[in-house]
Amino acid sequence: MRTVLGSIVFLAALPLSGCATHEIPYDRDNANIHTIGVVTPGFASKAQAFLASTVGESVGLVGGLVDLAMEEKRDGQLRHIFAEANMDGPNEFLSDLNAALQARGYAVVSVPAPSDRTSFLKSYPPAASADAYLDVAVIGYGYMAAGISDGDPYRPFVWLRGRLVRASDNSVLMQEVISLNPLNLGGWLGGGANAQITLSPDPTYRYQDFDTLMAHPQQAPQGIRQALKQSADTLANVLR
Amino acid sequence: MSIAKNFALVCGLGLLISGLAMPAHADPESEWVPFQAEREPDSTPITDLSAKTCVEALDLTHAQQLTLDSDGEGKAMLVIDSRSPCINTAGSKALYTVAVLPASDTPYAITVASIGQNDAFLAPHALFLTSAGTVSRDLPGDAFTFRKARLSALVRSRQNERYLVVESDPASVGKDFSRVAETVYSTYLGSATIYSGSDVQRNYVFAHSGAIMVSIAPIPKN
């Protein structure tokens, strides 16, 4: 029951969690931020094998139940090959984010926080040396197919929200939604008047169907690593 | 309540929410259609300026004035095409256009967006100039990223900046790239809703020409 709920929450969280996120542009020259406290990123769930449209959901509740069971099975298989490849999405993302910030001239300090969350923190634990906190919530990541036809392959996806909050007065200096391989151009995730950032997935990691994805247990985790790295780098580039 | 009923309730809620989240007949291709400007850009993307006569300094005298409405918002479509002025940059040539930014006591958000047309995007490079014509900020091509289907830069205004110059980026012109659009459609058939997916990969080329949407909006308070 808990895992089924997890899937439902993943779907339900998408439209709700993005609605309140409005893009706020950053001005580095005037922000005077040198050291960033990188908060432990929130990850809504483990990696997903997300089939965005199915026959089952079109034929009612029974079909939906069947779909959920199949999705659970796919998720488990995907997580198995990720585990076999020693892939740790949350920690690898955090490492990529730190490196991307340092490459852009920032000093970074770690700010431990709960990772099982889909939204920003309400307040931040003290980090004496940080000028600002970078708070990231990864709403979902894994592989996604738009549908079940031959023309709807599985590709990597990473959807996240990030913001930079000044330590001294809690003012929000930057806020963005980033969707690598968005669904419906990210319409699910809401976004403000300025619109979220949409990244296209690397065409190298394109699998005709789920069986083909599973037949590439070495390559498929690399696709997610690359997607998480690209997302982290894009977020850091906003702070350039 | 039995586990089965509980399970059914949760699943039904999930399907309802997921259904509401999916726009009926949402078409990403509509985002690829160019916004209508006062003047239509050339239908063929310009990728070669070798025959174009270019000048050494930007001409700011014909800049388009951007204005704010009562909500502090404004939009303007700029066009760079064969009729646009050309400037010699570092060893290359670039087409450009200029806009005058509205004066404001409070900073606002500026989005500079290159809009796809005929499978091409203007390779954007933006400069912010003071009223004296001095470069205050330089946004190179890698400062732009896609926002929805538009190649955009989102910045905060500064009081000392008067002009926005958008140039083509000669280093990127001629390079191609692809974009993937994943979409879920919902079709209503009587009391049933049928969901189907679409995965479209399209190829584009960077050009000296294209349409640029400049949008100004208040910075959200969050």
Side-chain angles (χ1 to χ4, degrees):
Chain A
M1 189 63 185
R2 181 178 294 170
T3 53
V4 172
L5 274 171
S7 293
I8 294 298
V9 168
F10 174 68
L11 278 175
L14 294 177
L16 303 177
S17 60
C19 291
T21 304
H22 300 283
E23 291 78 11
I24 296 176
Y26 182 63
D27 187 345
R28 183 172 186 173
D29 288 356
N30 289 322
N32 198 29
I33 301 299
H34 306 287
T35 300
I36 293 178
V38 179
V39 179
T40 306
F43 269 73
S45 69
K46 294 179 179 175
Q48 304 269 324
F50 182 33
L51 187 52
S53 67
T54 66
V55 174
E57 67 186 2
S58 301
V59 297
L61 189 57
V62 173
L65 293 173
V66 172
D67 277 349
L68 284 169
M70 294 174 68
E71 183 183 309
E72 286 297 310
K73 185 178 177 186
R74 287 193 302 270
D75 287 349
Q77 290 175 296
L78 186 71
R79 291 166 189 170
H80 176 72
I81 66 166
F82 284 4
E84 290 289 304
N86 295 317
M87 206 201 87
D88 179 347
N91 276 324
E92 292 185 24
F93 175 80
L94 178 57
S95 176
D96 291 336
L97 185 58
N98 285 338
L101 291 168
Q102 288 167 333
R104 287 165 178 81
Y106 290 105
V108 298
V109 295
S110 295
V111 180
S115 61
D116 55 341
R117 57 193 172 92
T118 60
S119 56
F120 296 131
L121 292 178
K122 297 262 189 293
S123 60
Y124 298 94
S129 59
D131 301 315
Y133 300 99
L134 182 59
D135 189 355
V136 180
V138 176
I139 300 159
Y141 78 106
Y143 275 90
M144 177 182 72
I148 58 171
S149 76
D150 288 346
D152 299 330
Y154 277 86
R155 300 179 189 271
F157 79 96
V158 178
W159 302 337
L160 65 82
R161 299 187 296 159
R163 72 177 184 182
L164 187 72
V165 178
R166 190 190 298 279
S168 60
D169 61 5
N170 287 324
S171 58
V172 179
L173 302 173
M174 176 282 293
Q175 185 165 274
E176 292 283 1
V177 176
I178 297 175
S179 300
L180 186 145
N181 195 12
L183 190 59
N184 291 9
L185 277 170
W188 282 35
L189 299 177
N194 296 312
Q196 62 185 258
I197 292 173
T198 56
L199 306 174
S200 208
D202 186 337
T204 305
Y205 305 101
R206 176 189 189 280
Y207 303 102
Q208 195 64 37
D209 50 36
F210 190 71
D211 289 341
T212 310
L213 173 62
M214 287 297 100
H216 293 80
Q218 304 298 322
Q219 189 192 45
Q222 282 305 115
I224 299 302
R225 283 196 170 101
Q226 195 273 348
L228 289 169
K229 187 175 192 324
Q230 186 181 354
S231 302
D233 197 65
T234 299
L235 184 59
N237 200 45
V238 171
L239 300 171
R240 60 187 288 155
Chain B
M1 187 180 287
S2 69
I3 290 176
K5 282 183 180 174
N6 203 351
F7 183 78
L9 177 65
V10 170
C11 291
L13 177 64
L15 291 171
L16 174 66
I17 292 172
S18 64
L20 289 173
M22 296 178 200
H25 301 290
D27 182 1
E29 297 303 307
S30 65
E31 283 284 331
W32 305 101
V33 175
F35 193 93
Q36 294 298 306
E38 283 185 23
R39 150 177 138 218
E40 283 289 324
D42 299 329
S43 56
T44 304
I46 300 171
T47 55
D48 180 12
L49 295 178
S50 57
K52 187 87 172 174
T53 301
C54 303
V55 297
E56 299 300 323
L58 293 167
D59 178 3
L60 305 178
T61 57
H62 300 292
Q64 181 173 336
Q65 176 70 53
L66 304 180
T67 56
L68 299 178
D69 63 19
S70 57
D71 294 325
E73 297 180 353
K75 269 188 184 178
M77 180 65 80
L78 310 177
V79 171
I80 296 182
D81 63 7
S82 59
R83 289 161 282 183
S84 299
C86 179
I87 185 166
N88 287 314
T89 60
S92 301
K93 297 177 176 180
L95 300 178
Y96 73 93
T97 188
V98 186
V100 181
L101 297 168
S104 174
D105 292 334
T106 56
Y108 48 78
I110 307 171
T111 304
V112 182
S114 173
I115 298 176
Q117 185 192 35
N118 299 323
D119 295 335
F121 279 82
L122 166 82
H125 173 204
L127 301 167
F128 289 87
L129 276 55
T130 65
S131 55
T134 306
V135 175
S136 168
R137 267 190 291 185
D138 186 335
L139 301 183
D142 64 358
F144 287 74
T145 186
F146 273 91
R147 291 182 183 270
K148 296 208 169 174
R150 297 172 179 179
L151 184 56
S152 308
L154 171 63
V155 298
R156 195 178 283 250
S157 70
R158 294 178 186 168
Q159 280 209 319
N160 68 324
E161 293 172 342
R162 177 71 169 149
Y163 297 102
L164 165 65
V165 178
V166 182
E167 297 180 349
S168 58
D169 178 9
S172 296
V173 170
K175 292 180 179 175
D176 55 12
F177 64 98
S178 66
R179 295 269 296 164
V180 172
E182 304 246 28
T183 310
V184 170
Y185 299 91
S186 56
T187 305
Y188 301 101
L189 295 174
S191 60
T193 304
I194 307 298
Y195 297 102
S196 58
S198 151
D199 179 297
V200 178
Q201 182 171 331
R202 293 183 60 169
N203 299 317
Y204 300 91
V205 66
F206 279 124
H208 283 289
S209 56
I212 306 106
M213 170 70 85
V214 180
S215 307
I216 294 174
I219 295 172
K221 301 279 188 212
N222 197 50

